[in-house]
Structure formats: structure tokens, C-alpha cells
Amino acid sequence: MFSRTMAVIASVFLVGSALASSWQEELRKQLPLLGHRNWVVVADSAYPWQTSPGITTIDTGADQISVLKETLKALRKCTHIHPVMYTDAELPFVPEKEAAGVTLYRKTLKGLLNGYDVNSLLHEQIIAKLDEAGKTFHVLLLKSKMTIPYTSVFMRLDCAYWNGAQEGRMRATMKKG
């Protein structure tokens, strides 16, 4: 009886571990395929399941800070892409008394995004950008267990080895003939 109980516990642990790591594995599999104009989103639990064909939603079952840390860690290893961050313009106005933990979240998020180019737009504007991008480009949406509003972090991927200044110089040279 003891060994049977241990076998059941072990199998539950293994299945749970496989589920918990599946989003990380999917992220690692998809990052080499993603490029300029693709998006990666770390979303709160109420983020809507969008219907654009290019948007893949994965329920991570994990807390948002962990998902964001793991995603940023994986992106830092990429030599072909880097993220341009977008956060909801509403986030600074969410009151602690109505969303317990938002103050700590904002502080933690600020530290995690330090050094990145961060843009703030209204939530609906960012969703519209994703919807439009999802018609032509792939969007990987990692849904977390976060239950504080306006906490999703949106990352538009850009080319890591060719920047806007380089593109501008090349285009100017092309005009000259």
C-alpha cells in the first residue's frame, strides 16, 4: 500500500512538473522563430482570449512576476531580437485600496523593466495593436494568475542587430542613388 501511494504521489508530481514547465518550453521553442514585429505578452488572468489567427495564448498557471522574469531572461539570451516594452497607462492610477498589492507590483515592475525602452498607452490601444499585429505577425501571449487590473506587460520585438538609426542611414543613401 505504501509503495502504491508513493507511486501515485510521484506520478502526480511528475505530471504537475511537466505542466508547470510546458510554458517555459514553449517560450524557448518559439523565441528562435520570432522576429521583428512579433509580440510577446505576459498577461494578467482576466486578459481576453483574442481571436486573431496569429495570437497564441498559453495559460502558464504561474504568477506574473515569475513569468515576466523567465521571459526577460530568455529574451536576453536572444541575439536576433530585443523587446520594446508597453505597459497600460491606467496602471499608475489603480488605487491600492481597490487592488491590494498594486503598489508592490508597480515597484517590482519598475525594477524589472529598468534599462528597457518602456512605452505607456491606454489598454485598449495596446489591444488594438496586438489585434492588428496578429493578422500578419505572430503574438505569443503568456497568461498568468495575476488578479490586479492593468498589469499586463506587452513586448513588441525589434531586430537586435539592426536599429532605426542604421535603417535611416541606409534609406538616405538609397535616395541619393
Side-chain angles (χ1 to χ4, degrees), residues 52-82:
S52 290
I55 299 176
T56 300
T57 301
I58 299 172
D59 180 8
T60 66
D63 74 272
Q64 186 157 334
I65 294 298
S66 296
V67 176
L68 183 57
K69 284 180 180 178
E70 185 76 22
T71 302
L72 292 174
K73 179 180 171 185
L75 283 167
R76 280 192 295 274
K77 293 179 182 177
C78 294
T79 58
H80 68 297
I81 51 174
H82 71 89

Side-chain angles (χ1 to χ4, degrees), residues 150-169:
Y150 300 108
T151 53
S152 297
V153 178
F154 306 84
M155 296 166 256
R156 182 184 47 78
L157 302 179
D158 209 348
C159 184
Y161 54 84
W162 187 255
N163 63 40
Q166 291 168 309
E167 183 73 15
R169 287 190 299 272

Side-chain angles (χ1 to χ4, degrees), residues 128-174:
K129 284 182 174 290
L130 282 184
D131 189 47
E132 188 60 33
K135 293 175 185 172
T136 308
F137 303 103
H138 190 77
V139 176
L140 176 60
L141 196 140
L142 303 170
K143 197 163 178 173
S144 74
K145 298 186 308 182
M146 174 62 87
T147 56
I148 299 173
Y150 300 108
T151 53
S152 297
V153 178
F154 306 84
M155 296 166 256
R156 182 184 47 78
L157 302 179
D158 209 348
C159 184
Y161 54 84
W162 187 255
N163 63 40
Q166 291 168 309
E167 183 73 15
R169 287 190 299 272
M170 181 193 73
R171 297 287 170 189
T173 301
M174 288 173 67

